[in-house]
Amino acid sequence: MQRNLLAGLDIGGTKCAVTIGSVIDSRIEILEKKQFPTPPSPEQAIKQLEDMLDHILQALNLSSINAIGISCGGPLDSKRGLILSPPNLPNWDKVDVITPFHEKYGVPVGLQNDANACALAEWKWGAGQGASNMIFLTFGTGMGAGLILNGNLYTGTNDMAGEVGHIRLAEEGPLGYGKFGSFEGFCSGGGIANLAKKMTEAAIHKGKTPSFCPSLEDKEKITAKSVGIAAQNGDPLAIEVYHEVGRKLGRGLAILVDLLNPERIIIGSIYGRQQDILELIVKEELQKESLSISHSVCKVMPSGLGEHVGDFASLSVALHTIEK
């Protein structure tokens, strides 16, 4: 049995994390994970990531690793290892994150956006195991897709494949990815909150006050989570909000099914938390909107790695750099 020791580095707008994992055959074990607030400059962040990685390796009494994977929000240039000014990392303009780690540790280093990294993780260790054609949808802060096609990660001509959040699903609707009525506008945490705010205002004007927003003054406190909890507790307006989200999610999935003919679509974050409310609506809309012969071979399911998919994401990028 071959054992690979992998390091995963997650670079986010608010926090960074370093994870060490051990992979034997198709099994993975996370040995340690540490995180810290994202520093203001890329240079500081890279230095702290190196220091944290050194500290963990020393604490685990490990003298070497086999590969390093880096997961970060896009846009990226994964081939050249550049981070290209993601919205949540405004100071990171054409920052080379591969070279410093490759030079210091002397091992292969890979970079992928967070959706691709999560897709790789689900494919290797989660609900996508054994699939040749699989889509992972983030459905969290934003809506993005990682694509496994014909048994390979597909990133497109310049790493922009999978930007499904930009697809317009309706002429009007919540704002997401710079576009009203977009997939991300309806199917993301911020989009759900904005949809709920609009529907709440209309409901209160009609004298129907929802449990999650007792007055118009409380409208800006609405979140996808608060609406989700209210829906689980039977609030009629909250359920109506999530049913609308489910219909738009099903419509978005139908586009992907018709276009890419996947065998599995795995949906992260909010879908798993609200599956009881969303699943039936999503599948009804998907069946209605997609080609039946394509729909018949596609399964839709929540993330197999659940809330921990992000912990495995950068490690899967490290493994991918060895295997590709």
Side-chain angles (χ1 to χ4, degrees):
M1 292 186 295
Q2 182 180 357
R3 184 193 193 203
N4 282 310
L5 288 170
L6 308 173
L9 312 178
D10 291 287
I11 301 172
T14 58
K15 65 180 184 294
C16 295
V18 178
T19 308
I20 300 293
S22 170
V23 177
I24 300 176
D25 295 335
S26 61
R27 301 188 309 277
I28 183 168
E29 177 187 3
I30 292 180
L31 303 180
E32 185 61 271
K33 178 186 176 183
K34 299 284 187 181
Q35 62 185 41
F36 56 88
T38 303
S41 77
E43 294 78 16
Q44 288 175 285
I46 290 170
K47 179 66 166 60
Q48 283 192 236
L49 287 166
E50 289 177 345
D51 291 345
M52 184 68 75
L53 178 53
D54 289 342
H55 172 76
I56 295 174
L57 291 174
Q58 186 176 6
L60 294 174
N61 197 28
L62 296 173
S63 59
S64 64
I65 48 180
N66 296 102
I68 297 172
I70 303 172
S71 171
C72 181
L76 310 171
D77 183 336
S78 62
K79 293 181 179 66
R80 294 195 293 161
L82 302 179
I83 296 176
L84 308 174
S85 292
N88 62 342
L89 292 167
N91 297 320
W92 294 63
D93 184 20
K94 296 182 181 178
V95 175
D96 179 356
V97 289
I98 283 185
T99 300
F101 294 99
H102 178 66
E103 289 182 347
K104 178 169 182 176
Y105 297 97
V107 297
V109 183
L111 170 69
Q112 291 294 338
N113 70 45
D114 43 9
N116 289 346
C118 287
L120 285 169
E122 286 289 339
W123 186 40
K124 290 297 181 184
W125 306 307
Q129 291 181 82
S132 294
N133 297 295
M134 184 207 94
I135 300 170
F136 176 83
L137 297 177
T138 56
F139 196 12
T141 305
M143 170 57 80
L147 308 174
I148 305 295
L149 302 178
N150 292 331
N152 292 289
L153 176 66
Y154 180 76
T155 59
T157 303
N158 62 344
D159 276 337
M160 291 300 288
E163 297 295 337
V164 299
H166 200 243
I167 296 170
R168 192 185 299 278
L169 296 179
E171 286 303 311
E172 297 180 356
L175 179 67
Y177 211 144
K179 185 183 287 186
F180 290 100
S182 66
F183 201 170
E184 185 169 297
F186 283 103
C187 299
S188 65
I192 292 170
N194 288 334
L195 178 63
K197 288 172 187 177
K198 183 177 180 181
M199 293 174 68
T200 295
E201 187 172 359
I204 289 176
H205 283 314
K206 293 178 182 177
K208 299 177 180 179
T209 304
S211 63
F212 58 88
C213 184
S215 70
L216 283 177
E217 287 72 31
D218 297 303
K219 188 178 74 168
E220 293 309 312
K221 299 177 184 176
I222 293 174
T223 64
K225 183 178 180 180
S226 66
V227 180
I229 292 170
Q232 290 170 356
N233 291 330
D235 183 278
L237 184 64
I239 292 172
E240 187 180 342
V241 170
Y242 268 90
H243 280 185
E244 176 63 11
V245 172
R247 284 189 287 272
K248 292 301 190 291
L249 179 56
R251 187 166 297 181
L253 297 188
I255 294 171
L256 299 177
V257 166
D258 287 353
L259 185 66
L260 298 175
N261 192 201
E263 57 196 285
R264 290 177 218 171
I265 298 177
I266 300 164
I267 313 176
S269 298
I270 293 171
Y271 185 75
R273 296 171 208 148
Q274 305 298 339
Q275 187 178 359
D276 290 346
I277 298 170
L278 289 171
E279 185 172 39
L280 183 61
I281 301 292
V282 169
K283 290 187 174 179
E284 284 179 350
E285 190 74 13
L286 174 58
Q287 183 172 18
K288 183 175 72 175
E289 291 289 328
S290 62
L291 291 167
S292 60
I293 193 167
S294 300
H295 176 259
S296 69
V297 298
C298 181
K299 294 181 179 178
V300 177
M301 59 190 72
S303 165
L305 299 172
E307 301 292 342
H308 300 289
V309 63
D311 295 340
F312 295 93
S314 55
L315 294 173
S316 71
V317 177
L319 185 62
H320 181 63
T321 65
I322 298 173
E323 294 180 337
K324 69 178 181 180

